[in-house]
Structure formats: C-alpha cells, structure tokens
Amino acid sequence: MSSSHTEDPIELEQPCPIRDVLDRIGDQWSLLILEALALRTLRFNELHREIGDVSRQVLSRTLKRLENDGYISRTVYAEVPPRVEYALTGLGRSFLEPMQKLIQWAEDNHEAICRSRKQRQALREQVQ
Amino acid sequence: MSSSHTEDPIELEQPCPIRDVLDRIGDQWSLLILEALALRTLRFNELHREIGDVSRQVLSRTLKRLENDGYISRTVYAEVPPRVEYALTGLGRSFLEPMQKLIQWAEDNHEAICRSRKQRQALREQVQ
DNA sequence: CGGAATCCAACGTGATACTG
DNA sequence: CAGTATCACGTTGGATTCCG
C-alpha cells in the first residue's frame, strides 16, 4: 500500500462555519476536554483520569484535532520520563464563553426535554 | 416478526444534559431546520426546499426527533391534499437564543480556525 | 509516559422504492 | 402531499497491541 491512512484528508474550507465548529466539538469528548482544561493545564494521563471513560487512543485523536483547530496548545518537555502538557489557547477560552451559555441552557431545560420524550413515547406505545 | 425495529430504544435518561442536547442538534440538519423555522412556520416540502440537500427520508427522521424532544410542533390539517405544518415551540425558540451566540462565535472565528488548520497541515507536510 | 497502528462494531446518512 | 421501509455506505468510537 502506497498511502498510509493515518493522514486524514482534512477539509480546509468549510462553507458553513457553525457546521464546521459543531463537527469538531460536537463529538463525544471534545467539550469535556475543553472544560477540564478550562480549570487548569493538564498532562496526557491527567486528562485521561479526569475524563474517565475515554480510551487513550481516542483521547489522543481528539486532542490532536483540538490542537489542529487551535483550541488547545500542546507543549512537550524534553525530560525523562517525557512530559506533555495541554492548555487552552485564547481561541479555546473565547469559545467556552458562548458555549457556557448553551451548557447552562441545556442544564436548565434538560428536564423539559426528558419530559417531552416520555410523553411522546407514551403516545407511541398507545398507538401500537 | 414479533418486534418491528422501527421503534428506536430511546434513551430517556441521559446523565449529561449538554451531551444529550448536542447529540440531538449536533447532527447534520437539526440546526438548519430550527433556523429555518425561526423565520416562519413551514410545511414539509417547504422545509425540504428550504434546506436543500437533505433527503426527504432524513428530513422526516430529523423532524421526528426534534418533535420528540419538544423543539418543534407538528400540526396535521385534515385536508385533501394533506397539510402538515412545523413550527418552533417555546423550548425551540429559547434554545436558539444561546445557540445564536455560538453561531456568532463560529462566524467570527471561522477564519482563525481555518488558518490554524493550514498551519498545522503545512507543518505535517514538512515532517514527511 | 505519551502516544501510533490496526482492526472492528455501531451509528448516522443517503438512495431507492413504496404508501395513505 | 407527506411521509415510511429497506438496504448500502462512510465515519466515529473503542479495544488491542506496539513503539520511542
């Protein structure tokens, strides 16, 4: 095989900015990572413990994407054992501002959404 | 067959509200639909034309999910030919408020993100 | 310690065809 | 007009294994 498929053919231009943003941080872990880093700079395994369920593999991929998009920075210290620190960039920090509003909304309205789902499900079961 | 697999085993309780919200509106079309309905009530095929690329199949599924979660309402008029109107609910409207902030952020910072990606890609190509 | 390579399963998306 | 059923496909997440 001539082409390794480790290099993703990254789409550099996206017509829709919000689509572009949601595609990246709308995944399972990105937001959790950003919030963890909002409190303080963390090393790889610290993040791993902090987040909990994520595999190292996925954590690594997600971090690379976030770094690529400029949300976080990655600093390698030439030590033994190696030390790598992840931190929010200015972009990452500024992103969390509007995002916090949305998070707040989600918390405030989560119950209403759950209620709506239960109602709908009850209706569906009646029909059957 | 005893069990039709049209009924999705919907997760009624989600531990993380924001995860729960993003999972629903973070897909390809939900947000576009909500924004279209923010301007005015629309019928199924009007929405279909408005959104553009989406297939009727996917549009239908997405609408059902949004209705399930209480973001939109679906009104059927007993006419011939049938008429079905979709509109934002109060929940849907209130959701768009914090969401608009995020959309604004995405538009403001989209260029910075694209720049960051290009830089990273240039670095990657140097390494190779 | 901090990853990368590989493989696989699950899910979302979409095309097509059919229905009330 | 407003959908649903079925199937195929690509992308993502995750487990496992190996490396500097």
Side-chain angles (χ1 to χ4, degrees), chain B residues 104-121:
Chain B
Q104 188 60 50
W105 184 92
E107 287 170 356
D108 293 345
N109 294 275
H110 188 224
E111 226 188 282
I113 292 174
C114 288
R115 264 202 310 277
S116 175
R117 280 182 201 158
K118 285 187 184 169
Q119 260 187 24
R120 289 281 150 197
Q121 201 182 46

Side-chain angles (χ1 to χ4, degrees), chain B residues 43 45 56-57 60 74 86:
Chain B
R43 298 175 61 174
N45 277 338
R56 295 223 305 270
Q57 151 73 294
S60 172
R74 177 177 179 275
Y86 293 91

Side-chain angles (χ1 to χ4, degrees), chain A residues 18-68:
Chain A
I18 182 66
R19 173 86 275 119
D20 199 19
V21 170
L22 281 184
D23 279 351
R24 302 293 172 136
I25 60 86
D27 66 3
Q28 199 89 46
W29 306 109
S30 290
L31 194 53
L32 281 175
I33 292 172
L34 292 181
E35 291 198 281
L37 292 179
L39 302 179
R40 65 185 185 92
T41 292
L42 289 168
R43 297 176 61 175
F44 185 83
N45 276 337
E46 287 177 330
L47 258 172
H48 190 218
R49 277 188 296 275
E50 199 81 13
I51 306 292
D53 282 338
V54 69
S55 73
R56 294 222 308 270
Q57 151 73 294
V58 171
L59 179 58
S60 171
R61 274 199 304 234
T62 307
L63 286 170
K64 204 188 294 183
R65 277 210 310 251
L66 290 175
E67 189 200 0
N68 258 300

Side-chain angles (χ1 to χ4, degrees), chain B residues 61-125:
Chain B
R61 273 198 304 236
T62 308
L63 285 169
K64 205 188 291 181
R65 277 210 310 251
L66 290 174
E67 188 200 0
N68 256 301
D69 283 14
Y71 292 105
I72 64 176
S73 66
R74 177 177 179 275
T75 312
V76 184
Y77 295 90
E79 301 175 357
V80 179
R83 181 160 60 102
V84 180
E85 290 195 339
Y86 293 91
L88 280 191
T89 61
L91 189 74
R93 219 169 287 281
S94 88
F95 165 76
L96 281 180
E97 290 175 26
M99 195 63 209
Q100 295 291 2
K101 304 275 187 188
L102 195 62
I103 292 173
Q104 188 60 50
W105 184 92
E107 287 170 356
D108 293 345
N109 294 275
H110 188 224
E111 226 188 282
I113 292 174
C114 288
R115 264 202 310 277
S116 175
R117 280 182 201 158
K118 285 187 184 169
Q119 260 187 24
R120 289 281 150 197
Q121 201 182 46
L123 285 178
R124 244 174 287 126
E125 280 164 4

Side-chain angles (χ1 to χ4, degrees), chain B residues 2-66:
Chain B
S2 56
S3 76
S4 94
H5 69 78
T6 57
E7 41 175 320
D8 9 19
I10 291 174
E11 208 68 23
L12 289 178
E13 303 285 358
Q14 273 265 3
C16 175
I18 182 64
R19 172 86 274 120
D20 200 18
V21 169
L22 281 185
D23 280 351
R24 302 294 171 135
I25 60 85
D27 66 4
Q28 200 89 47
W29 305 110
S30 291
L31 193 54
L32 282 174
I33 292 173
L34 292 182
E35 290 198 281
L37 292 179
L39 301 178
R40 65 184 185 92
T41 293
L42 289 168
R43 298 175 61 174
F44 185 83
N45 277 338
E46 286 177 329
L47 258 173
H48 190 218
R49 277 188 296 275
E50 199 81 15
I51 306 290
D53 282 338
V54 68
S55 73
R56 295 223 305 270
Q57 151 73 294
V58 171
L59 179 58
S60 172
R61 273 198 304 236
T62 308
L63 285 169
K64 205 188 291 181
R65 277 210 310 251
L66 290 174

Side-chain angles (χ1 to χ4, degrees), chain A residues 59-118:
Chain A
L59 179 58
S60 171
R61 274 199 304 234
T62 307
L63 286 170
K64 204 188 294 183
R65 277 210 310 251
L66 290 175
E67 189 200 0
N68 258 300
D69 283 15
Y71 291 105
I72 65 176
S73 66
R74 175 176 180 275
T75 311
V76 184
Y77 295 89
E79 301 175 358
V80 178
R83 180 161 61 101
V84 179
E85 290 196 338
Y86 293 92
L88 281 190
T89 61
L91 189 74
R93 220 169 286 281
S94 89
F95 165 76
L96 280 180
E97 290 175 26
M99 195 63 208
Q100 295 290 3
K101 304 275 188 186
L102 195 62
I103 293 172
Q104 188 59 48
W105 184 93
E107 287 170 357
D108 293 344
N109 293 275
H110 188 225
E111 225 188 283
I113 293 174
C114 288
R115 264 203 310 277
S116 176
R117 281 183 201 160
K118 284 188 185 169

